[in-house]
Amino acid sequence: LTVFTDASFCPNTHVAGGAFWAVYGDHMVFKGCFPMWDVATSSEAELRTSIHAVGNTLRNADVKAWVQTLTDLRIILVVDALSTKQELERPGGPVHPLASRFMDYVRRHCIDLRINHVKGHTCGQEGRDYVNRWCDRNSRQTMREARKSPQVAM
């Protein structure tokens, strides 16, 4: 299972948008986008997006039914922000509380998690390039819509 993620962050409003696309083999199994409020940094937005994406993908009914047939689960998390990869793979464990709880979840559920950094904003024509651009476009759009929310005090 490969989960592509991207986040867009507005430093003026501390609002972000996250988007993800989960793929098994050549088949899209689940995708989505969501707003985030009270985000401190773009690194936090990327981290929250990665955690949300994996959690929501594993809670999706179709994915859940499929995962239950497996003896082991390998998730390749493809992130645009190198800081997310570095935080989740930090020797001695993550420092950020969200990352620490996420990695505890991964260990408890015996998930083989691999984290790949992908260079964003490329013009490639492969499927992964399309997916990466979809995540980028939808995270930006979600962030823009969230900035209009009454929750945002400017």
Side-chain angles (χ1 to χ4, degrees):
L1 182 66
T2 302
V3 181
F4 293 83
T5 67
D6 198 9
S8 291
F9 171 70
C10 176
N12 297 329
T13 59
H14 294 278
V15 170
F20 64 95
W21 184 307
V23 178
Y24 179 69
D26 292 332
H27 306 287
M28 185 273 295
V29 291
F30 189 55
K31 65 182 177 180
C33 35
F34 53 93
M36 296 174 274
W37 290 271
D38 300 319
V39 181
T41 65
S42 61
S43 293
E44 181 183 323
E46 295 282 355
L47 179 62
R48 286 171 62 175
T49 297
S50 297
I51 293 167
H52 182 90
V54 170
N56 273 13
T57 298
L58 293 177
R59 282 189 296 275
N60 174 273
D62 294 334
V63 175
K64 202 173 197 175
W66 167 74
V67 165
Q68 290 174 345
T69 67
L70 302 175
T71 53
D72 26 307
L73 175 61
R74 174 180 290 166
I75 296 176
I76 301 171
L77 180 60
V78 181
V79 296
D80 194 13
L82 191 55
S83 62
T84 300
K85 178 177 172 53
Q86 292 168 337
E87 175 65 19
L88 293 174
E89 293 180 338
R90 184 185 303 272
V95 173
H96 195 287
L98 285 174
S100 184
R101 286 196 308 270
F102 175 65
M103 294 309 289
D104 287 345
Y105 174 88
V106 166
R107 281 189 290 281
R108 271 195 324 274
H109 291 86
C110 302
I111 297 170
D112 179 9
L113 180 68
R114 308 287 167 94
I115 304 162
N116 292 348
H117 174 251
V118 62
K119 182 165 174 30
H121 310 286
T122 62
C123 298
Q125 298 303 311
E126 295 182 32
R128 68 177 177 216
D129 298 313
Y130 172 83
V131 169
N132 194 45
R133 285 191 298 271
W134 183 93
C135 288
D136 182 51
R137 185 175 55 252
N138 283 279
S139 66
R140 270 182 301 165
Q141 181 61 34
T142 302
M143 180 264 299
R144 287 180 183 130
E145 290 171 9
R147 285 191 308 202
K148 299 174 189 172
S149 165
Q151 288 179 254
V152 178
M154 298 206 33

PDB file of all heavy atoms in Angstrom, residues 16-17 24-25 31-32 34 43-44 46 48 50 59 64 67-68 70 75 77 90 98 111 114 128-129 136 139-140:
ATOM      1  N   ALA A  16      -4.065  25.131   7.030  1.00  0.00           N
ATOM      2  CA  ALA A  16      -3.422  24.280   6.032  1.00  0.00           C
ATOM      3  C   ALA A  16      -4.474  23.394   5.381  1.00  0.00           C
ATOM      4  O   ALA A  16      -5.568  23.194   5.913  1.00  0.00           O
ATOM      5  CB  ALA A  16      -2.335  23.430   6.680  1.00  0.00           C
ATOM      6  N   GLY A  17      -4.103  22.869   4.243  1.00  0.00           N
ATOM      7  CA  GLY A  17      -4.918  21.870   3.561  1.00  0.00           C
ATOM      8  C   GLY A  17      -4.051  20.652   3.320  1.00  0.00           C
ATOM      9  O   GLY A  17      -2.867  20.773   3.001  1.00  0.00           O
ATOM     10  N   TYR A  24      -2.754   0.701  -4.292  1.00  0.00           N
ATOM     11  CA  TYR A  24      -2.272  -0.661  -4.112  1.00  0.00           C
ATOM     12  C   TYR A  24      -1.998  -1.214  -5.502  1.00  0.00           C
ATOM     13  O   TYR A  24      -2.915  -1.309  -6.323  1.00  0.00           O
ATOM     14  CB  TYR A  24      -3.288  -1.544  -3.384  1.00  0.00           C
ATOM     15  CG  TYR A  24      -2.787  -2.958  -3.237  1.00  0.00           C
ATOM     16  CD1 TYR A  24      -1.727  -3.241  -2.392  1.00  0.00           C
ATOM     17  CD2 TYR A  24      -3.342  -3.993  -3.973  1.00  0.00           C
ATOM     18  CE1 TYR A  24      -1.249  -4.522  -2.268  1.00  0.00           C
ATOM     19  CE2 TYR A  24      -2.862  -5.279  -3.848  1.00  0.00           C
ATOM     20  CZ  TYR A  24      -1.813  -5.546  -3.004  1.00  0.00           C
ATOM     21  OH  TYR A  24      -1.324  -6.816  -2.891  1.00  0.00           O
ATOM     22  N   GLY A  25      -0.739  -1.539  -5.782  1.00  0.00           N
ATOM     23  CA  GLY A  25      -0.383  -1.955  -7.137  1.00  0.00           C
ATOM     24  C   GLY A  25      -0.617  -0.776  -8.065  1.00  0.00           C
ATOM     25  O   GLY A  25      -0.109   0.308  -7.844  1.00  0.00           O
ATOM     26  N   LYS A  31      -8.727   8.175  -1.696  1.00  0.00           N
ATOM     27  CA  LYS A  31      -8.076   9.483  -1.724  1.00  0.00           C
ATOM     28  C   LYS A  31      -8.966  10.485  -1.017  1.00  0.00           C
ATOM     29  O   LYS A  31     -10.165  10.254  -0.848  1.00  0.00           O
ATOM     30  CB  LYS A  31      -7.768   9.927  -3.154  1.00  0.00           C
ATOM     31  CG  LYS A  31      -8.989  10.177  -4.024  1.00  0.00           C
ATOM     32  CD  LYS A  31      -8.541  10.571  -5.426  1.00  0.00           C
ATOM     33  CE  LYS A  31      -9.757  10.757  -6.320  1.00  0.00           C
ATOM     34  NZ  LYS A  31      -9.366  11.129  -7.678  1.00  0.00           N
ATOM     35  N   GLY A  32      -8.376  11.592  -0.614  1.00  0.00           N
ATOM     36  CA  GLY A  32      -9.169  12.605   0.053  1.00  0.00           C
ATOM     37  C   GLY A  32      -8.358  13.850   0.341  1.00  0.00           C
ATOM     38  O   GLY A  32      -7.150  13.886   0.167  1.00  0.00           O
ATOM     39  N   PHE A  34      -8.508  17.472   3.197  1.00  0.00           N
ATOM     40  CA  PHE A  34      -9.101  17.940   4.451  1.00  0.00           C
ATOM     41  C   PHE A  34      -8.404  19.223   4.900  1.00  0.00           C
ATOM     42  O   PHE A  34      -7.230  19.431   4.614  1.00  0.00           O
ATOM     43  CB  PHE A  34      -8.974  16.865   5.538  1.00  0.00           C
ATOM     44  CG  PHE A  34      -7.562  16.387   5.708  1.00  0.00           C
ATOM     45  CD1 PHE A  34      -6.746  16.966   6.649  1.00  0.00           C
ATOM     46  CD2 PHE A  34      -7.052  15.393   4.888  1.00  0.00           C
ATOM     47  CE1 PHE A  34      -5.433  16.561   6.787  1.00  0.00           C
ATOM     48  CE2 PHE A  34      -5.742  14.972   5.016  1.00  0.00           C
ATOM     49  CZ  PHE A  34      -4.930  15.561   5.970  1.00  0.00           C
ATOM     50  N   SER A  43       6.020  22.319   8.264  1.00  0.00           N
ATOM     51  CA  SER A  43       6.457  20.956   8.631  1.00  0.00           C
ATOM     52  C   SER A  43       5.381  20.232   9.432  1.00  0.00           C
ATOM     53  O   SER A  43       5.130  19.047   9.234  1.00  0.00           O
ATOM     54  CB  SER A  43       7.756  21.008   9.445  1.00  0.00           C
ATOM     55  OG  SER A  43       8.807  21.477   8.651  1.00  0.00           O
ATOM     56  N   GLU A  44       4.734  20.976  10.350  1.00  0.00           N
ATOM     57  CA  GLU A  44       3.642  20.366  11.120  1.00  0.00           C
ATOM     58  C   GLU A  44       2.476  20.006  10.202  1.00  0.00           C
ATOM     59  O   GLU A  44       1.853  18.950  10.372  1.00  0.00           O
ATOM     60  CB  GLU A  44       3.161  21.308  12.220  1.00  0.00           C
ATOM     61  CG  GLU A  44       2.042  20.691  13.048  1.00  0.00           C
ATOM     62  CD  GLU A  44       1.487  21.614  14.116  1.00  0.00           C
ATOM     63  OE1 GLU A  44       2.258  22.368  14.727  1.00  0.00           O
ATOM     64  OE2 GLU A  44       0.250  21.571  14.322  1.00  0.00           O
ATOM     65  N   GLU A  46       2.622  19.120   7.050  1.00  0.00           N
ATOM     66  CA  GLU A  46       3.017  17.909   6.318  1.00  0.00           C
ATOM     67  C   GLU A  46       2.927  16.679   7.213  1.00  0.00           C
ATOM     68  O   GLU A  46       2.442  15.628   6.797  1.00  0.00           O
ATOM     69  CB  GLU A  46       4.430  18.057   5.752  1.00  0.00           C
ATOM     70  CG  GLU A  46       4.574  19.122   4.694  1.00  0.00           C
ATOM     71  CD  GLU A  46       4.065  18.726   3.319  1.00  0.00           C
ATOM     72  OE1 GLU A  46       3.660  17.569   3.105  1.00  0.00           O
ATOM     73  OE2 GLU A  46       4.072  19.600   2.433  1.00  0.00           O
ATOM     74  N   ARG A  48       1.053  16.289  10.003  1.00  0.00           N
ATOM     75  CA  ARG A  48      -0.356  16.000  10.289  1.00  0.00           C
ATOM     76  C   ARG A  48      -1.046  15.369   9.086  1.00  0.00           C
ATOM     77  O   ARG A  48      -1.876  14.470   9.236  1.00  0.00           O
ATOM     78  CB  ARG A  48      -1.075  17.282  10.719  1.00  0.00           C
ATOM     79  CG  ARG A  48      -0.703  17.696  12.136  1.00  0.00           C
ATOM     80  CD  ARG A  48      -1.206  19.066  12.532  1.00  0.00           C
ATOM     81  NE  ARG A  48      -2.655  19.199  12.532  1.00  0.00           N
ATOM     82  CZ  ARG A  48      -3.294  20.289  12.945  1.00  0.00           C
ATOM     83  NH1 ARG A  48      -2.603  21.326  13.399  1.00  0.00           N
ATOM     84  NH2 ARG A  48      -4.605  20.347  12.912  1.00  0.00           N
ATOM     85  N   SER A  50       0.374  13.458   6.764  1.00  0.00           N
ATOM     86  CA  SER A  50       0.835  12.067   6.650  1.00  0.00           C
ATOM     87  C   SER A  50       0.112  11.154   7.639  1.00  0.00           C
ATOM     88  O   SER A  50      -0.356  10.073   7.281  1.00  0.00           O
ATOM     89  CB  SER A  50       2.347  11.996   6.885  1.00  0.00           C
ATOM     90  OG  SER A  50       3.029  12.723   5.903  1.00  0.00           O
ATOM     91  N   ARG A  59      -8.801   3.191   7.989  1.00  0.00           N
ATOM     92  CA  ARG A  59     -10.175   3.124   8.504  1.00  0.00           C
ATOM     93  C   ARG A  59     -11.213   3.012   7.394  1.00  0.00           C
ATOM     94  O   ARG A  59     -12.373   2.704   7.661  1.00  0.00           O
ATOM     95  CB  ARG A  59     -10.471   4.349   9.369  1.00  0.00           C
ATOM     96  CG  ARG A  59      -9.866   4.265  10.759  1.00  0.00           C
ATOM     97  CD  ARG A  59     -10.357   5.373  11.672  1.00  0.00           C
ATOM     98  NE  ARG A  59      -9.969   6.698  11.225  1.00  0.00           N
ATOM     99  CZ  ARG A  59      -8.813   7.286  11.486  1.00  0.00           C
ATOM    100  NH1 ARG A  59      -7.917   6.657  12.207  1.00  0.00           N
ATOM    101  NH2 ARG A  59      -8.542   8.495  11.039  1.00  0.00           N
ATOM    102  N   LYS A  64     -10.004  -1.541   4.787  1.00  0.00           N
ATOM    103  CA  LYS A  64     -10.020  -2.344   6.014  1.00  0.00           C
ATOM    104  C   LYS A  64     -10.302  -3.813   5.698  1.00  0.00           C
ATOM    105  O   LYS A  64      -9.629  -4.711   6.215  1.00  0.00           O
ATOM    106  CB  LYS A  64     -11.084  -1.791   6.969  1.00  0.00           C
ATOM    107  CG  LYS A  64     -10.903  -2.127   8.398  1.00  0.00           C
ATOM    108  CD  LYS A  64     -11.945  -1.365   9.207  1.00  0.00           C
ATOM    109  CE  LYS A  64     -11.561  -1.329  10.640  1.00  0.00           C
ATOM    110  NZ  LYS A  64     -12.459  -0.524  11.424  1.00  0.00           N
ATOM    111  N   VAL A  67      -7.166  -5.217   4.024  1.00  0.00           N
ATOM    112  CA  VAL A  67      -6.042  -5.358   4.951  1.00  0.00           C
ATOM    113  C   VAL A  67      -6.221  -6.577   5.845  1.00  0.00           C
ATOM    114  O   VAL A  67      -5.259  -7.265   6.172  1.00  0.00           O
ATOM    115  CB  VAL A  67      -5.867  -4.062   5.784  1.00  0.00           C
ATOM    116  CG1 VAL A  67      -4.972  -4.286   6.981  1.00  0.00           C
ATOM    117  CG2 VAL A  67      -5.315  -2.945   4.903  1.00  0.00           C
ATOM    118  N   GLN A  68      -7.466  -6.885   6.214  1.00  0.00           N
ATOM    119  CA  GLN A  68      -7.714  -8.022   7.100  1.00  0.00           C
ATOM    120  C   GLN A  68      -7.341  -9.350   6.448  1.00  0.00           C
ATOM    121  O   GLN A  68      -7.154 -10.340   7.136  1.00  0.00           O
ATOM    122  CB  GLN A  68      -9.173  -8.036   7.552  1.00  0.00           C
ATOM    123  CG  GLN A  68      -9.476  -6.907   8.512  1.00  0.00           C
ATOM    124  CD  GLN A  68     -10.952  -6.816   8.875  1.00  0.00           C
ATOM    125  OE1 GLN A  68     -11.806  -7.401   8.232  1.00  0.00           O
ATOM    126  NE2 GLN A  68     -11.242  -6.058   9.909  1.00  0.00           N
ATOM    127  N   LEU A  70      -4.554  -9.777   4.815  1.00  0.00           N
ATOM    128  CA  LEU A  70      -3.096  -9.838   4.746  1.00  0.00           C
ATOM    129  C   LEU A  70      -2.493 -10.384   6.026  1.00  0.00           C
ATOM    130  O   LEU A  70      -3.033 -10.210   7.105  1.00  0.00           O
ATOM    131  CB  LEU A  70      -2.533  -8.429   4.508  1.00  0.00           C
ATOM    132  CG  LEU A  70      -3.006  -7.706   3.259  1.00  0.00           C
ATOM    133  CD1 LEU A  70      -2.441  -6.289   3.246  1.00  0.00           C
ATOM    134  CD2 LEU A  70      -2.591  -8.450   2.016  1.00  0.00           C
ATOM    135  N   ILE A  75       3.362  -0.330   4.356  1.00  0.00           N
ATOM    136  CA  ILE A  75       2.887   0.953   3.846  1.00  0.00           C
ATOM    137  C   ILE A  75       4.108   1.761   3.429  1.00  0.00           C
ATOM    138  O   ILE A  75       5.045   1.927   4.209  1.00  0.00           O
ATOM    139  CB  ILE A  75       2.089   1.731   4.910  1.00  0.00           C
ATOM    140  CG1 ILE A  75       0.828   0.968   5.285  1.00  0.00           C
ATOM    141  CG2 ILE A  75       1.740   3.136   4.401  1.00  0.00           C
ATOM    142  CD1 ILE A  75       0.031   1.613   6.399  1.00  0.00           C
ATOM    143  N   LEU A  77       4.955   5.379   2.630  1.00  0.00           N
ATOM    144  CA  LEU A  77       4.426   6.732   2.781  1.00  0.00           C
ATOM    145  C   LEU A  77       5.306   7.651   1.935  1.00  0.00           C
ATOM    146  O   LEU A  77       6.503   7.771   2.182  1.00  0.00           O
ATOM    147  CB  LEU A  77       4.465   7.141   4.253  1.00  0.00           C
ATOM    148  CG  LEU A  77       3.947   8.517   4.622  1.00  0.00           C
ATOM    149  CD1 LEU A  77       2.480   8.678   4.231  1.00  0.00           C
ATOM    150  CD2 LEU A  77       4.125   8.742   6.115  1.00  0.00           C
ATOM    151  N   ARG A  90      13.718   9.684  12.850  1.00  0.00           N
ATOM    152  CA  ARG A  90      14.728  10.218  13.775  1.00  0.00           C
ATOM    153  C   ARG A  90      15.290   9.094  14.658  1.00  0.00           C
ATOM    154  O   ARG A  90      14.527   8.351  15.273  1.00  0.00           O
ATOM    155  CB  ARG A  90      14.096  11.295  14.649  1.00  0.00           C
ATOM    156  CG  ARG A  90      15.059  11.995  15.585  1.00  0.00           C
ATOM    157  CD  ARG A  90      14.342  12.968  16.499  1.00  0.00           C
ATOM    158  NE  ARG A  90      13.570  13.972  15.785  1.00  0.00           N
ATOM    159  CZ  ARG A  90      14.055  15.136  15.358  1.00  0.00           C
ATOM    160  NH1 ARG A  90      15.318  15.423  15.568  1.00  0.00           N
ATOM    161  NH2 ARG A  90      13.290  15.991  14.728  1.00  0.00           N
ATOM    162  N   LEU A  98       2.915  14.310  17.989  1.00  0.00           N
ATOM    163  CA  LEU A  98       2.078  13.627  16.999  1.00  0.00           C
ATOM    164  C   LEU A  98       2.845  12.505  16.306  1.00  0.00           C
ATOM    165  O   LEU A  98       2.321  11.405  16.110  1.00  0.00           O
ATOM    166  CB  LEU A  98       1.582  14.614  15.939  1.00  0.00           C
ATOM    167  CG  LEU A  98       0.483  15.571  16.324  1.00  0.00           C
ATOM    168  CD1 LEU A  98       0.237  16.559  15.187  1.00  0.00           C
ATOM    169  CD2 LEU A  98      -0.789  14.822  16.652  1.00  0.00           C
ATOM    170  N   ILE A 111       2.970  -2.648  11.541  1.00  0.00           N
ATOM    171  CA  ILE A 111       2.997  -2.142  10.169  1.00  0.00           C
ATOM    172  C   ILE A 111       4.448  -1.913   9.761  1.00  0.00           C
ATOM    173  O   ILE A 111       5.209  -1.287  10.497  1.00  0.00           O
ATOM    174  CB  ILE A 111       2.199  -0.825  10.054  1.00  0.00           C
ATOM    175  CG1 ILE A 111       0.731  -1.060  10.375  1.00  0.00           C
ATOM    176  CG2 ILE A 111       2.359  -0.222   8.659  1.00  0.00           C
ATOM    177  CD1 ILE A 111      -0.080   0.212  10.523  1.00  0.00           C
ATOM    178  N   ARG A 114       7.576   2.280   5.389  1.00  0.00           N
ATOM    179  CA  ARG A 114       8.721   2.830   4.656  1.00  0.00           C
ATOM    180  C   ARG A 114       8.334   4.247   4.261  1.00  0.00           C
ATOM    181  O   ARG A 114       7.207   4.486   3.846  1.00  0.00           O
ATOM    182  CB  ARG A 114       9.017   2.019   3.396  1.00  0.00           C
ATOM    183  CG  ARG A 114       9.154   0.535   3.613  1.00  0.00           C
ATOM    184  CD  ARG A 114      10.465   0.196   4.314  1.00  0.00           C
ATOM    185  NE  ARG A 114      10.467  -1.175   4.783  1.00  0.00           N
ATOM    186  CZ  ARG A 114      10.960  -2.197   4.104  1.00  0.00           C
ATOM    187  NH1 ARG A 114      11.463  -2.009   2.922  1.00  0.00           N
ATOM    188  NH2 ARG A 114      10.945  -3.406   4.633  1.00  0.00           N
ATOM    189  N   ARG A 128       2.884   8.291 -10.816  1.00  0.00           N
ATOM    190  CA  ARG A 128       3.198   8.908  -9.523  1.00  0.00           C
ATOM    191  C   ARG A 128       3.305  10.425  -9.635  1.00  0.00           C
ATOM    192  O   ARG A 128       3.009  11.141  -8.694  1.00  0.00           O
ATOM    193  CB  ARG A 128       4.454   8.301  -8.918  1.00  0.00           C
ATOM    194  CG  ARG A 128       5.695   8.632  -9.676  1.00  0.00           C
ATOM    195  CD  ARG A 128       6.924   8.070  -9.011  1.00  0.00           C
ATOM    196  NE  ARG A 128       8.069   8.364  -9.826  1.00  0.00           N
ATOM    197  CZ  ARG A 128       9.080   7.571  -9.983  1.00  0.00           C
ATOM    198  NH1 ARG A 128       9.100   6.415  -9.376  1.00  0.00           N
ATOM    199  NH2 ARG A 128      10.084   7.915 -10.735  1.00  0.00           N
ATOM    200  N   ASP A 129       3.746  10.934 -10.807  1.00  0.00           N
ATOM    201  CA  ASP A 129       3.811  12.374 -11.012  1.00  0.00           C
ATOM    202  C   ASP A 129       2.405  12.975 -11.045  1.00  0.00           C
ATOM    203  O   ASP A 129       2.150  14.035 -10.478  1.00  0.00           O
ATOM    204  CB  ASP A 129       4.553  12.710 -12.308  1.00  0.00           C
ATOM    205  CG  ASP A 129       5.994  12.234 -12.286  1.00  0.00           C
ATOM    206  OD1 ASP A 129       6.680  12.480 -11.272  1.00  0.00           O
ATOM    207  OD2 ASP A 129       6.420  11.600 -13.266  1.00  0.00           O
ATOM    208  N   ASP A 136      -0.919  17.955  -4.607  1.00  0.00           N
ATOM    209  CA  ASP A 136      -0.489  19.352  -4.500  1.00  0.00           C
ATOM    210  C   ASP A 136      -1.648  20.305  -4.800  1.00  0.00           C
ATOM    211  O   ASP A 136      -1.940  21.216  -4.029  1.00  0.00           O
ATOM    212  CB  ASP A 136       0.676  19.603  -5.465  1.00  0.00           C
ATOM    213  CG  ASP A 136       1.207  21.012  -5.367  1.00  0.00           C
ATOM    214  OD1 ASP A 136       1.502  21.464  -4.247  1.00  0.00           O
ATOM    215  OD2 ASP A 136       1.328  21.666  -6.416  1.00  0.00           O
ATOM    216  N   SER A 139      -4.469  19.979  -2.045  1.00  0.00           N
ATOM    217  CA  SER A 139      -4.097  20.525  -0.736  1.00  0.00           C
ATOM    218  C   SER A 139      -4.140  22.061  -0.775  1.00  0.00           C
ATOM    219  O   SER A 139      -4.629  22.689   0.162  1.00  0.00           O
ATOM    220  CB  SER A 139      -2.721  20.029  -0.292  1.00  0.00           C
ATOM    221  OG  SER A 139      -1.690  20.505  -1.121  1.00  0.00           O
ATOM    222  N   ARG A 140      -3.680  22.648  -1.879  1.00  0.00           N
ATOM    223  CA  ARG A 140      -3.748  24.111  -2.019  1.00  0.00           C
ATOM    224  C   ARG A 140      -5.189  24.604  -2.035  1.00  0.00           C
ATOM    225  O   ARG A 140      -5.538  25.584  -1.366  1.00  0.00           O
ATOM    226  CB  ARG A 140      -3.044  24.570  -3.301  1.00  0.00           C
ATOM    227  CG  ARG A 140      -1.573  24.874  -3.096  1.00  0.00           C
ATOM    228  CD  ARG A 140      -0.969  25.363  -4.361  1.00  0.00           C
ATOM    229  NE  ARG A 140      -1.188  24.255  -5.298  1.00  0.00           N
ATOM    230  CZ  ARG A 140      -1.078  24.311  -6.598  1.00  0.00           C
ATOM    231  NH1 ARG A 140      -0.770  25.405  -7.184  1.00  0.00           N
ATOM    232  NH2 ARG A 140      -1.285  23.270  -7.359  1.00  0.00           N
TER     233      ARG A 140
END
